[in-house]
């Protein structure tokens, strides 16, 4: 093998090794491999739009790494569980379902907790981008079908402070 090609192959292998060292891996009971970040948890109250309050136990995704990882590789969630993504500012938010194993409802909220838009029953593993219809600061992911099952409608609002 010519020296130039050998150099490029070794460089590529070194880059891949560095990538895997930075990403790190662990193995789940099912044999899947990933390194899930730690998430703080909280209780979230949601006015479904008619004054009825729903309570969810949520993991809080507040860092860029947590935002990227989200609910990837999660095989199941309790009916009252979810994940709340908290961003620094208002912007149109876009999510996909890569490596996500369960269908989700995605609810996009503005800085005051008002529902901006929602996407129901996303398809696990889909690379289709699901975007908010306007700027959002918070994104609540629930089990797919939760909006319909719990009557969550257009007037839905997050209650602040979280847990209250």
């Amino acid at each position: 093998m010519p020296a130039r090609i050998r150099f490029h192959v070794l460089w590529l292998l070194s880059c891949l090794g560095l990538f895997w060292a930075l990403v790190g891996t662990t193995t789940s009971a099912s044999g899947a491999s990933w390194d899930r970040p730690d998430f703080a948890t909280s209780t979230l109250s949601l006015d479904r739009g008619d004054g009825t309050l729903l309570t969810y136990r949520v993991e809080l995704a507040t860092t860029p790494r947590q935002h990227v990882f989200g609910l990837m590789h999660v095989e199941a969630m309790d009916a009252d569980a979810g994940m709340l993504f908290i961003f620094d500012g208002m912007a149109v938010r876009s999510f996909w379902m890569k490596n996500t194993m369960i269908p989700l409802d995605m609810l996009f909220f503005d800085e005051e907790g008002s529902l901006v838009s929602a996407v129901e029953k996303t398809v696990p593993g889909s690379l289709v981008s699901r975007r908010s219809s306007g700027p959002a600061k918070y994104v609540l992911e629930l089990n797919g079908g939760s909006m319909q099952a719990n009557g969550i409608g257009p007037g839905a609002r997050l209650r602040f402070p979280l847990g209250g």
Side-chain angles (χ1 to χ4, degrees):
M1 179 181 307
R4 183 179 174 139
I5 293 174
R6 187 172 38 244
F7 170 79
H8 287 295
V9 168
L10 290 173
W11 179 82
L12 179 62
L13 291 174
S14 296
C15 289
L16 286 172
L18 178 61
F19 170 77
W20 286 114
L22 291 173
V23 170
T25 60
T26 59
T27 302
S28 73
S30 67
S33 180
W34 68 88
D35 184 18
R36 190 167 199 271
D38 291 327
F39 293 90
T41 59
S42 184
T43 301
L44 176 141
S45 294
L46 174 69
D47 178 332
R48 68 182 195 177
D50 63 2
T52 303
L53 291 181
L54 304 170
T55 303
Y56 293 95
R57 291 175 298 106
V58 294
E59 291 182 302
L60 303 174
T62 58
T63 68
R65 184 165 185 263
Q66 291 170 330
H67 293 162
V68 169
F69 203 93
L71 289 170
M72 289 193 311
H73 306 291
V74 172
E75 295 177 1
M77 282 195 309
D78 292 339
D80 67 341
M83 179 169 282
L84 181 67
F85 293 80
I86 303 171
F87 296 94
D88 288 333
M90 294 277 290
V92 171
R93 303 294 172 192
S94 181
F95 285 69
W96 64 359
M97 297 290 289
K98 182 175 182 175
N99 297 321
T100 305
M101 303 172 74
I102 56 176
L104 298 172
D105 288 352
M106 296 177 186
L107 294 83
F108 300 90
F109 296 91
D110 67 17
E111 60 197 352
E112 294 179 7
S114 296
L115 185 66
V116 172
S117 62
V119 179
E120 296 184 65
K121 298 178 186 174
T122 58
V123 176
S126 173
L127 298 182
V128 173
S129 179
R130 305 298 183 175
R131 298 171 54 107
S132 59
S133 65
K137 179 176 175 75
Y138 306 98
V139 181
L140 177 60
E141 291 184 339
L142 302 172
N143 282 305
S146 293
M147 289 183 67
Q148 183 177 9
N150 295 308
I152 301 170
R157 290 184 61 85
L158 293 176
R159 302 297 260 191
F160 295 102
L162 293 178

